[in-house]
Amino acid sequence: MATSSGVATWVKVCDAGELVVGIGVSALVRGKQVALFKTGERSLHAIGNRDPYAGTQTMARGLVVQRDGQTLLAAPAGRELFDLETGQCVDDPMTRVPTYPVRVVNGFVEVCVTTRA
């Protein structure tokens, strides 16, 4: 799969059985820091691990919460809320974190990242 800015690649990250609902983990995926979250029996999310407010690679330490049917992540430093589907900050429309496609194949979690061609 190719995009206008590079090549999209699926990368095996971990065994799906190692993820715990509500607990984030961080992974380095082709040079990108990614935070993975299992939010339900079959629901996974992958977002950038860099907190845009604190500037630290700590989003995986955030708290998963539900509000008005949305699955949100409270950033660990300031507790700003981010939509895990879109990466959008709930209270600041100018701020978002990157999101990445994520899937399970043969029991392993894979994340899709775009790299330069």
Side-chain angles (χ1 to χ4, degrees):
M1 174 182 352
T3 65
S4 61
S5 61
V7 176
T9 305
W10 287 97
V11 178
K12 188 186 300 186
V13 177
C14 67
D15 184 311
E18 294 177 357
L19 297 179
V20 177
V21 173
I23 305 295
V25 297
S26 59
L28 187 60
V29 183
R30 298 274 170 127
K32 296 181 189 233
Q33 292 233 9
V34 175
L36 293 171
F37 294 92
K38 181 176 182 180
T39 58
E41 190 57 37
R42 299 185 188 269
S43 184
L44 295 173
H45 302 277
I47 65 168
N49 197 35
R50 183 181 176 280
D51 182 328
Y53 293 100
T56 56
Q57 300 286 347
T58 56
M59 293 298 276
R61 296 182 192 161
L63 178 67
V64 176
V65 297
Q66 295 288 326
R67 185 170 88 178
D68 299 329
Q70 285 183 295
T71 303
L72 305 173
L73 179 69
R79 297 292 184 208
E80 292 84 1
L81 294 174
F82 292 86
D83 186 319
L84 281 172
E85 292 286 330
T86 65
Q88 181 67 55
C89 181
V90 172
D91 296 319
D92 180 0
M94 299 300 293
T95 303
R96 78 173 46 234
V97 293
T99 59
Y100 302 97
V102 61
R103 67 185 182 188
V104 176
V105 176
N106 297 324
F108 290 94
V109 175
E110 295 182 346
V111 176
C112 184
V113 295
T114 302
T115 55
R116 297 269 180 228

